[in-house]
Amino acid sequence: MSNEVVLLSAYVSMFGMRVRIALHEKGIQYEYKEEDLSNKSSLLLQMNPIHKKIPVLIHNGKPICESLIIVEYIDEVWKDKSPLMPFDPYKRAQARFWADFIDKKVYHSGKRIWATKGEDQEAAKKEFIEYLKLLEEELGDKTYFNGENFGFVDLALIPFYSWFPTFEKFGNFNIEKECPKFVAWANKCIHKDSVSKSLAEPNKVYEYVLKMKQHFGLS
């Protein structure tokens, strides 16, 4: 049986970074295809005709879409190395809850920091810090969210670290000052090869956001 793995993504996408980390954690060889989100490829439109979004993992010709679903798929198919989801059903449910929280709360408040101004931006900053503080409480004194081992919630959250300098520049605030425990956790994560090799360079994220703001008339 062939085991062809292709990833369609964009370098700066935090959702794509999740999949790259999971693939590196499992030691999976894959072909990477960078997508231009302003001119989506015919392959992306064919493989994700519903949402037409990245990332898409193509495994033996079959597409899997949505980053957290892809990560769970990778964890189930390549289960012999570096398990990402907890074994206990309750802990698995909790991991999914916090990953969903990250997508619904942290992502949207972070986006509003660079996409808005004035009162809207101030509200977004306040919410963003509140959400990070909730995650700090959940982390507690643990090394990672699942305990001693890097796992699903860590993987879902750490790509945002590449975007922190951009949030700070546009929002004029210091995340480490507000959430030191969170930044200490992030610094542990980025010492892992799978993370350091998968995260986008912060300056590339900033350049991308500047282009996005210009494109949408937000600058």
Side-chain angles (χ1 to χ4, degrees):
M1 174 182 163
S2 66
N3 208 20
E4 183 184 52
V5 180
V6 180
L7 174 61
L8 310 182
S9 189
Y11 176 70
V12 299
S13 166
M14 52 193 73
F15 304 111
M17 290 181 225
R18 289 171 171 173
V19 181
R20 295 202 295 271
I21 293 169
L23 291 167
H24 281 294
E25 277 287 302
K26 299 288 187 176
I28 300 165
Q29 296 293 316
Y30 66 99
E31 180 183 355
Y32 178 78
K33 292 182 181 288
E34 179 75 9
E35 284 288 333
D36 178 356
L37 301 183
S38 63
N39 183 24
K40 296 173 183 177
S41 71
S42 57
L43 180 61
L44 174 61
L45 300 178
Q46 176 191 347
M47 291 294 166
N48 191 359
I50 307 300
H51 295 303
K52 304 177 177 62
K53 290 180 179 180
I54 54 138
V56 177
L57 187 79
I58 307 169
H59 184 208
N60 294 333
K62 296 177 180 178
I64 305 96
C65 306
E66 300 295 314
S67 65
L68 295 177
I69 294 171
I70 295 171
V71 170
E72 282 209 57
Y73 176 85
I74 290 169
D75 198 37
E76 289 175 11
V77 173
W78 290 275
K79 57 179 69 173
D80 295 337
K81 182 182 177 185
S82 301
L84 298 170
M85 288 294 278
F87 177 75
D88 178 75
Y90 177 75
K91 289 183 178 178
R92 268 204 309 275
Q94 289 298 101
R96 290 189 183 106
F97 170 86
W98 285 110
D100 185 63
F101 174 87
I102 292 161
D103 279 1
K104 287 179 178 171
K105 300 294 186 182
V106 179
Y107 169 73
H108 288 290
S109 60
K111 183 177 181 180
R112 283 166 47 222
I113 290 171
W114 64 260
T116 63
K117 293 180 180 179
E119 290 182 5
D120 287 345
Q121 187 187 60
E122 288 302 313
K125 285 196 300 185
K126 184 180 178 183
E127 288 175 14
F128 185 76
I129 293 300
E130 285 176 359
Y131 298 148
L132 293 191
K133 286 184 181 296
L134 285 171
L135 285 160
E136 280 188 326
E137 288 179 23
E138 174 60 19
L139 179 64
D141 295 326
K142 303 189 294 287
T143 304
Y144 298 109
F145 281 90
N146 190 37
E148 292 302 312
N149 297 314
F150 181 84
F152 189 69
V153 179
D154 305 289
L155 184 150
L157 186 55
I158 192 58
F160 286 82
Y161 194 60
S162 288
W163 284 69
F164 275 17
T166 296
F167 296 155
E168 290 177 328
K169 284 175 185 174
F170 286 110
N172 192 28
F173 70 125
N174 185 297
I175 295 170
E176 184 171 15
K177 182 180 176 182
E178 300 284 348
C179 303
K181 185 187 288 188
F182 184 92
V183 173
W185 160 84
N187 284 327
K188 283 186 203 131
C189 291
I190 61 174
H191 281 93
K192 290 181 62 67
D193 278 353
S194 61
V195 175
S196 63
K197 290 176 180 176
S198 303
L199 294 191
E201 295 176 30
N203 64 308
K204 298 291 186 186
V205 172
Y206 183 68
E207 289 169 8
Y208 170 77
V209 170
L210 284 176
K211 289 177 185 175
M212 289 286 287
K213 285 172 72 73
Q214 188 176 22
H215 177 75
F216 289 109
L218 299 171
S219 54

